[in-house]
């Protein structure tokens, strides 16, 4: 006969009480079901974007637009324009002209609905002293704040997502929440990202930003023309970055930073079009890319045209 | 089958039976867990902004703890599992406790990863088939597979052994042999995969050095067994009928000495390469040991850790100090703290300093971060306590079950 | 009337290096050819040939419009004031917030 030891506290821990407790516990977790948003569960079970057919994508976008309307009391259009065929976007940056005025930074912030508090900037402008280290980046300064730019003896280099052809972030992401679309833009699905930040460790250019808190932007400052993979309002705990203004470029327009630059330092176009200015650029100017030794093959080309 | 479930619940009841010290200990752990949980509630509400992590240093205290604990889990099993095969009796008896430590450590690792995620509810996205696991490209996907697989293997081995013991029998080598054969390379692999996930990032030159994986394993073999030595002494003191021979303890201590020797040698090798070549890749190590551009937050900690490691190495090496329990326990504490600092913050933070655009952000964990981590450690301690409470009566023969034959 | 005009372009430059003295609504090239104000780029191209070459391809200056469609070409003078063409320094927009200041 086995000895059944009675437990000292006389708590009847047998199968019955265990099951009762478990049932109560489960019931407690079912409470969100009572809340009006069945959309909470829709959002939770949302499929992987690249495995959705057009029908499912439309439903997701409808749900998102409804959520945004509820949250911001504003109609936000979420587009899902696909990559245009025969297009591979390239970007050119003329280092002989950048004056470090940061107008690109703030044009991007407004176009792409970046959070104001906590502050997120997709573009970082680095300042270098002439005659000292350049491609090392270690001696650069990003918090410069003089009365006027350009300062004598310094030059400036903006850095943003380089849209690499062999992106280390895409390789690193454990859930495939970030991938390279056919037109070369590396995109993030903000509803799939789990916020592990491995991609941020993997990016050699410091291009990715994390939403450490819920992004904060006043509804009247929202750009309502958005893209699912681009500038739609994001969430706490997901990663975001420059998308070459996917909502603009897939509709034929220039990215906001290109149009904002007052000195014409920024160039953009289709690398696969032999007549485009980008093709001319990489074929005739002496272009280089950042950290080429890492073999990431960025599509963000830096060059020096003639200048002072 | 019915007997199995009934016996399982009988053993489970052991968790609720204990003396006053036991209740005090569990109560204390529950208190710590409560503090950690309430701190985590604020993190779940506000986001990871309550930590010290920012874009420049995007991994911090949580992942430091994770890295340290993966090493503990790997070493716990790797050291003792061969006992099943080589039948070195003194170690054979303590295999079970090592396995239970491995289970605990892996559970803590999984918890640390979960609290570090920005969207933990979306964790299922990482699974294959129902999610979109990026296998084989992403090392994090590999880590998910090997860590969970390791947990399953160890749980199977431990509970099979306990089950056989509980019905008064020895384990069958034919059942456990294949699992053990599998678990040895698997233990090496969990730590190698974790090392690789740092190692593969070309963006971080501090980690992108082939010495990283060997150093991980060497330091794991120091910290894991040291924790086990402390635990074994506690176990044999509390459970008077558990017999853990001094011979086993001293043998393990000797192995720690060799592991630390390798660890210190590899540290020397890394230091030479970085500082002698004098390229820009020396900056992270310079930040760690001497400070960079006046920023020197980690410097006192790493020197303290290095001092502890060297002292512990000497204490473990000399038989006079190794076989004296006072100095032995001192050495264990030293090595645990030393490796915790060196492999935790001392590994993760310099990878991000200077960051990819040359900026130096001095990360330090915030109070909520420390409280949440403490809560996870308390959960680990509680898991190990409850596992022991469940396992030891079976192990010592106090608890035996009815079987189909009876 | 024209005394207050300050010319800060070209060493020892003077008005009629560019302006047509016979018809003030036109410009005059170095070889005597007359161009309208709408084609002033020919004038600038005389000395700034490399820039002109880039500009013709769409590689010089501010880009606006459609990258794949109709390009909008701005004249040189849209951005560069010919009497004093060097861009003056401007006030930069604020630097980013330091990570230690983000709460």
């Amino acid at each position: 006969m086995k000895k059944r030891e009675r437990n000292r506290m006389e708590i009847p821990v047998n199968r019955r009480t265990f099951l009762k407790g478990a049932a109560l516990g489960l019931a407690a977790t079912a409470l969100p079901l009572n809340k009006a948003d069945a959309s909470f569960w829709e959002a939770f079970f949302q499929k992987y974007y690249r495995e959705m057919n057009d029908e499912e994508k439309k439903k997701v976008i409808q749900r998102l637009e409804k959520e945004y309307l509820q949250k911001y009391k504003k109609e936000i259009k979420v587009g899902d324009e696909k990559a245009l065929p025969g297009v591979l976007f390239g970007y050119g940056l003329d280092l002989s002209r950048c004056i470090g005025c940061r107008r690109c930074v703030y044009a991007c912030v407004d176009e792409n609905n970046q959070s104001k508090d906590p502050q997120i900037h997709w573009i970082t402008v680095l300042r270098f002293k002439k005659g000292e280290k350049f491609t090392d980046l270690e001696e650069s300064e990003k918090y410069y704040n003089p009365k006027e730019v350009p300062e004598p003896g310094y030059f400036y280099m903006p850095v943003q997502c380089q849209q690499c052809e062999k992106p280390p972030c895409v390789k690193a992401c454990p859930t495939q929440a970030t991938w390279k679309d056919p037109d070369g833009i590396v995109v993030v699905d903000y509803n799939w990202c789990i916020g592990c930040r491995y991609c941020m460790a993997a990016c050699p250019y410091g291009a990715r930003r994390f939403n450490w808190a819920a992004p904060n932007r006043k509804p009247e400052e929202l750009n309502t023309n958005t893209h699912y993979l681009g500038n739609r309002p994001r969430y706490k705990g997901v990663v975001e970055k420059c998308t070459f203004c996917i909502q603009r470029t897939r509709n034929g327009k220039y990215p906001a930073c290109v149009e904002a630059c007052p000195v014409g330092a920024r160039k953009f176009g289709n690398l696969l079009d032999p007549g485009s200015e980008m093709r001319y650029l990489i074929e005739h100017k002496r272009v280089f890319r950042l950290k080429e030794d890492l073999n990431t093959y960025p599509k963000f080309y830096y060059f020096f045209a003639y200048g002072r | 089958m019915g007997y199995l479930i009934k016996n399982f619940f009988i053993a489970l009841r052991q968790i609720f039976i204990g003396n006053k010290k036991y209740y005090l200990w569990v109560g204390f752990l529950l208190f710590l867990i409560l503090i950690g949980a309430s701190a985590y509630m604020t993190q779940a509400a506000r986001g990871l902004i309550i930590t010290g992590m920012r874009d420049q240093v995007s991994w911090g205290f949580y992942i430091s703890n994770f890295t340290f604990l993966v090493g503990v889990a790997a070493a716990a099993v790797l050291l003792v599992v061969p006992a099943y095969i080589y039948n070195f009796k003194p170690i054979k008896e303590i295999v079970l406790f090592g396995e239970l430590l491995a289970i605990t450590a892996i559970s803590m690792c999984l918890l640390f990863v979960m609290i570090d995620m920005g969207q933990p509810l979306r964790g299922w996205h990482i699974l294959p088939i129902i999610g979109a696991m990026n296998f084989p490209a992403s090392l994090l996907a590999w880590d998910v597979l090997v860590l969970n697989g390791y947990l399953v293997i160890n749980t199977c081995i431990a509970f099979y052994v306990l089950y056989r013991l509980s019905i008064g029998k020895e384990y069958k080598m034919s059942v456990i042999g294949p699992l053990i054969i599998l678990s040895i390379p698997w233990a090496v692999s969990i730590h190698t995969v974790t090392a690789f996930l740092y190692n593969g990032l070309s963006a971080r030159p501090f980690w992108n050095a082939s010495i990283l994986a060997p150093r991980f394993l060497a330091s794991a073999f120091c910290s894991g067994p040291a924790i086990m030595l402390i635990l074994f002494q506690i176990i044999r003191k509390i459970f008077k009928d558990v017999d853990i021979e001094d011979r086993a303890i001293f043998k393990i201590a000797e192995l720690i000495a060799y592991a630390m020797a390798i660890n210190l040698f590899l540290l020397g090798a890394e230091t030479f390469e970085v500082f002698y070549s004098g390229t820009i890749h020396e900056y992270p190590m310079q930040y760690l040991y001497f400070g960079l551009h006046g920023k020197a937050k980690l410097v006192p900690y790493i020197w303290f850790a290095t001092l502890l490691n060297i002292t512990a190495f000497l204490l473990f090496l000399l038989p006079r100090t190794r076989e004296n329990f006072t100095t032995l326990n001192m050495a264990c504490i030293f090595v645990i703290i030393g490796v915790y600092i060196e492999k935790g913050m001392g590994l993760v933070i310099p990878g991000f300093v200077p960051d990819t655009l040359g900026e130096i952000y001095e990360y330090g964990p915030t109070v909520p971060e420390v409280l949440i981590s403490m809560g996870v450690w308390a959960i680990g301690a509680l898991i190990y306590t409850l596992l022991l409470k469940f396992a030891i009566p079976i192990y010592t023969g106090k608890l035996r079950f009815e079987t189909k034959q009876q | 009337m024209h005394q207050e005009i300050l010319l800060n372009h070209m060493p020892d430059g003077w008005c009629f290096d560019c302006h047509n003295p016979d018809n003030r609504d036109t410009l005059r090239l170095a070889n005597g050819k007359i161009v309208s104000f709408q084609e002033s780029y020919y004038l600038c191209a005389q000395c700034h040939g490399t820039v002109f070459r880039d500009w013709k391809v769409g590689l010089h200056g501010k880009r606006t419009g459609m990258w794949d469609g109709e390009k909008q070409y701005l004249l040189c003078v849209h951005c560069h004031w010919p009497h004093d063409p060097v861009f003056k320094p401007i006030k930069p927009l604020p630097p980013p917030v330091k990570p230690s200041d983000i709460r």
Side-chain angles (χ1 to χ4, degrees):
Chain A
M1 271 310 283
K2 61 177 171 1
K3 227 173 24 158
R4 212 183 264 265
E5 290 183 2
R6 189 156 301 174
N7 70 66
R8 289 246 181 98
M9 298 185 53
E10 297 290 333
I11 298 170
V13 181
N14 54 25
R15 272 196 290 274
R16 198 179 295 157
T17 47
F18 176 74
L19 285 171
K20 254 200 231 164
L24 274 170
L26 264 171
T29 62
L31 276 173
L33 276 172
N34 292 343
K35 284 206 199 143
D37 15 8
S39 77
F40 171 76
W41 295 106
E42 264 180 61
F44 180 75
F45 287 112
Q46 184 180 317
K47 259 169 88 165
Y48 182 47
Y49 186 76
R50 284 199 281 180
E51 287 170 3
M52 285 192 231
N53 57 31
D54 286 336
E55 263 291 312
E56 292 169 315
K57 283 186 193 168
K58 248 211 296 245
K59 276 187 50 201
V60 165
I61 285 182
Q62 269 173 359
R63 188 196 85 228
L64 287 173
E65 288 181 341
K66 202 158 60 136
E67 281 173 12
Y68 291 143
L69 184 60
Q70 257 183 336
K71 181 164 184 204
Y72 298 108
K73 312 282 185 286
K74 226 178 165 181
E75 275 214 23
I76 310 250
K77 168 183 159 306
V78 179
D80 70 337
E81 294 87 338
K82 301 204 198 345
L84 297 162
V87 172
L88 188 70
F89 289 121
Y91 207 108
L93 199 112
D94 188 349
L95 285 172
S96 62
R97 302 208 190 284
C98 178
I99 55 170
C101 67
R102 296 201 183 101
R103 277 152 181 67
C104 53
V105 177
Y106 289 91
C108 171
V109 166
D110 288 331
E111 168 67 30
N112 289 296
N113 291 326
Q114 281 156 46
S115 168
K116 286 272 176 79
D117 176 32
Q119 186 197 68
I120 293 186
H121 285 173
W122 286 354
I123 302 176
T124 305
V125 185
L126 300 174
R127 182 189 77 175
F128 298 87
K129 201 161 163 66
K130 285 184 184 166
E132 292 186 3
K133 276 193 184 167
F134 183 179
T135 54
D136 175 7
L137 300 189
E138 214 273 317
E139 315 256 321
S140 66
E141 171 62 57
K142 77 189 232 199
Y143 298 105
Y144 62 91
N145 193 13
K147 286 240 274 292
E148 284 178 342
V149 285
E151 304 158 275
Y154 293 95
F155 62 94
Y156 305 86
M157 182 172 84
V159 181
Q160 61 210 67
C161 174
Q162 310 277 293
Q163 314 290 357
C164 306
E165 273 295 280
K166 294 177 81 195
C169 55
V170 169
K171 208 164 48 164
C173 177
T175 59
Q176 299 190 69
T178 189
W179 66 86
K180 189 179 67 162
D181 246 8
D183 56 358
I185 304 182
V186 177
V187 296
V188 179
D189 179 358
Y190 311 115
N191 283 76
W192 194 256
C193 172
I194 61 172
C196 71
R197 308 187 298 291
Y198 193 30
C199 60
M200 290 176 71
C203 174
Y205 307 103
R208 290 173 158 256
R209 305 276 175 264
F210 188 68
N211 283 289
W212 300 101
N216 209 329
R217 200 173 169 86
K218 296 205 202 77
E220 55 267 21
E221 290 174 342
L222 282 175
N223 173 9
T224 55
N225 188 9
T226 70
H227 191 285
Y228 179 83
L229 297 168
N231 63 332
R232 65 181 169 107
R234 274 86 60 192
Y235 313 103
K236 169 183 72 168
V238 298
V239 166
E240 56 181 67
K241 64 177 191 67
C242 162
T243 56
F244 275 1
C245 278
I246 197 171
Q247 68 281 1
R248 295 174 63 110
T249 52
R250 285 191 176 171
N251 288 311
K253 297 192 254 180
Y254 280 109
C257 48
V258 173
E259 296 204 337
C261 178
V263 297
R266 289 168 169 269
K267 315 288 170 207
F268 182 83
N270 179 7
L271 290 168
L272 298 179
D273 172 9
S276 70
E277 69 238 44
M278 273 312 297
R279 270 292 277 278
Y280 184 92
L281 175 74
I282 60 176
E283 284 170 4
H284 292 87
K285 298 294 178 190
R286 289 154 200 212
V287 293
F288 71 91
R289 290 163 290 179
L290 289 181
K291 306 200 188 190
E292 277 170 331
D293 53 319
L294 301 182
N295 266 351
T296 52
Y297 296 95
K299 294 196 289 294
F300 202 98
Y301 294 89
Y302 292 91
F303 65 103
F304 295 87
Y306 283 100
R308 298 196 84 123
Chain B
M1 193 59 193
Y3 278 116
L4 200 64
I5 299 179
K6 197 156 79 153
N7 295 339
F8 177 78
F9 278 107
I10 294 173
L12 201 61
R13 267 202 210 128
Q14 298 298 311
I15 292 176
F16 298 95
I17 308 169
N19 58 18
K20 194 151 77 163
K21 273 203 231 158
Y22 173 70
Y23 289 130
L24 268 174
W25 170 243
V26 171
F28 171 65
L29 290 178
L30 285 173
F31 173 65
L32 290 180
I33 293 173
L34 202 68
I35 297 181
S38 65
Y40 183 71
M41 289 288 115
T42 59
Q43 186 181 289
R46 270 208 75 204
L48 285 157
I49 200 169
I50 64 157
T51 68
M53 296 186 276
R54 296 288 176 265
D55 290 335
Q56 287 77 357
V57 178
S58 48
W59 277 344
F61 198 57
Y62 297 148
I63 300 295
S64 308
N65 280 283
F66 164 81
T67 314
F68 175 73
L69 285 167
V70 176
V72 170
V77 162
L78 204 54
L79 196 64
V80 291
V81 163
Y84 283 123
I85 304 175
Y86 295 121
N87 263 310
F88 179 52
K89 196 171 177 298
I91 288 197
K92 204 169 173 197
E93 277 147 6
I94 54 185
V95 172
L96 185 66
F97 304 122
E99 302 254 359
L100 296 179
L101 178 64
I103 295 174
T104 309
I106 289 289
S107 310
M108 281 199 270
C109 287
L110 297 175
L111 278 173
F112 270 116
V113 165
M114 284 202 282
I115 62 173
D116 184 63
M117 282 203 273
Q119 292 268 357
L121 288 177
R122 293 184 188 172
W124 64 272
H125 292 175
I126 210 174
L127 298 170
I129 302 164
I130 56 171
M133 177 182 260
N134 189 7
F135 185 87
S138 167
L139 264 300
L140 261 188
W142 280 83
D143 222 14
V144 165
L145 288 174
V146 295
L147 285 181
N148 285 293
Y150 191 67
L151 183 61
V152 166
I153 292 176
N154 277 305
T155 313
C156 287
I157 296 180
F159 279 81
Y160 173 73
V161 168
L162 282 172
Y163 165 66
R164 295 291 291 184
L165 275 175
S166 75
I167 55 175
K169 298 209 180 100
E170 273 276 304
Y171 53 82
K172 272 195 236 163
M173 204 53 188
S174 56
V175 173
I176 222 174
L179 277 178
I180 292 173
I181 303 288
L182 185 61
S183 74
I184 299 173
W186 202 286
V188 172
S189 80
I190 62 165
H191 216 26
T192 311
V193 167
T194 307
F196 281 173
L197 82 85
Y198 291 103
N199 204 201
L201 301 179
S202 59
R204 310 283 170 185
F206 183 66
W207 296 335
N208 196 212
S210 18
I211 209 172
L212 204 71
R215 265 204 87 185
F216 262 47
L217 283 165
S219 55
F221 275 116
C222 300
S223 54
I227 292 182
M228 281 199 293
L229 287 186
I230 306 252
L231 286 174
F232 292 158
Q233 289 176 70
I234 296 175
I235 290 173
R236 72 178 183 181
K237 200 166 203 183
I238 295 181
F239 302 97
K240 295 282 192 297
D241 41 1
V242 171
D243 178 31
I244 301 176
E245 282 188 46
D246 282 358
R247 254 204 311 159
I249 292 186
F250 297 147
K251 195 75 186 161
I252 294 176
E254 198 184 328
L255 293 170
I256 298 180
Y258 303 143
M260 184 49 87
I262 298 177
N263 189 30
L264 289 172
F265 174 72
L266 292 177
L267 171 64
E270 208 178 351
T271 314
F272 170 78
E273 185 253 317
V274 152
F275 286 122
Y276 184 83
S277 326
T279 67
I280 63 174
H281 296 322
E282 75 174 8
Y283 295 148
M285 210 147 194
Q286 205 186 319
Y287 170 71
L288 184 60
Y289 282 95
F290 305 108
L292 191 62
H293 297 316
K295 310 264 173 81
K297 203 170 192 159
L298 294 182
V299 173
Y301 294 98
I302 196 65
W303 282 107
F304 179 57
T306 313
L307 191 68
L308 287 181
N309 280 340
I310 296 176
T311 314
F313 166 63
L314 294 168
L315 290 174
F316 277 120
L317 188 67
L318 305 170
R320 199 155 39 105
T321 47
R322 181 172 71 228
E323 292 174 7
N324 169 333
F325 275 101
T326 322
T327 46
L328 177 68
N329 287 328
M330 265 171 59
C332 285
I333 306 278
F334 287 175
V335 99
I336 293 170
I337 298 177
V339 173
Y340 181 71
I341 295 175
E342 182 191 69
K343 200 164 158 191
M345 293 275 282
L347 166 82
V348 175
I349 308 307
F352 292 105
V353 177
D355 86 334
T356 48
L357 297 181
E359 184 177 352
I360 299 176
Y361 167 60
E362 293 228 84
Y363 164 84
T366 58
V367 170
E369 232 174 323
V370 174
L371 290 178
I372 296 172
S373 306
M374 191 185 66
V376 175
W377 276 93
I379 292 178
L382 186 64
I383 292 177
Y384 196 64
T385 309
L386 296 181
L387 280 173
L388 284 182
K389 203 75 180 54
F390 175 87
I392 284 183
I394 300 174
Y395 175 81
T396 54
K398 270 227 186 97
L399 194 62
R400 284 280 175 267
F401 295 132
E402 54 185 66
T403 62
K404 276 203 230 118
Q405 283 95 329
Q406 287 170 332
Chain C
M1 201 174 45
H2 286 124
Q3 280 83 0
E4 66 278 4
I5 293 179
L6 278 148
L7 186 58
N8 196 5
H9 191 183
M10 297 188 283
D12 290 333
W14 79 310
C15 321
F16 294 130
D17 280 331
C18 299
H19 288 280
N20 183 3
D22 303 320
N23 178 359
R24 284 189 302 206
D25 288 327
T26 56
L27 300 163
R28 183 180 65 177
L29 300 182
N31 61 8
K33 185 154 176 259
I34 309 296
V35 293
S36 70
F37 274 98
Q38 280 71 40
E39 293 172 316
S40 53
Y41 46 84
Y42 283 123
L43 191 57
C44 312
Q46 292 176 118
C47 295
H48 303 284
T50 47
V51 177
F52 177 62
R53 186 178 60 197
D54 282 348
W55 176 84
K56 268 199 298 181
V57 186
L59 206 57
H60 178 92
K62 200 171 157 100
R63 305 307 308 144
T64 50
M66 311 290 274
W67 56 262
D68 200 20
E70 274 289 322
K71 287 213 196 307
Q72 291 167 7
Y73 282 91
L74 302 166
L75 290 176
C76 319
V77 300
H78 273 121
C79 299
H80 306 277
W81 172 229
H83 294 179
D84 193 2
V86 177
F87 285 156
K88 299 283 167 288
I90 53 175
K91 184 167 189 301
L93 292 180
V97 172
K98 290 217 168 98
S100 39
D101 293 332
I102 296 180
R103 297 260 170 270

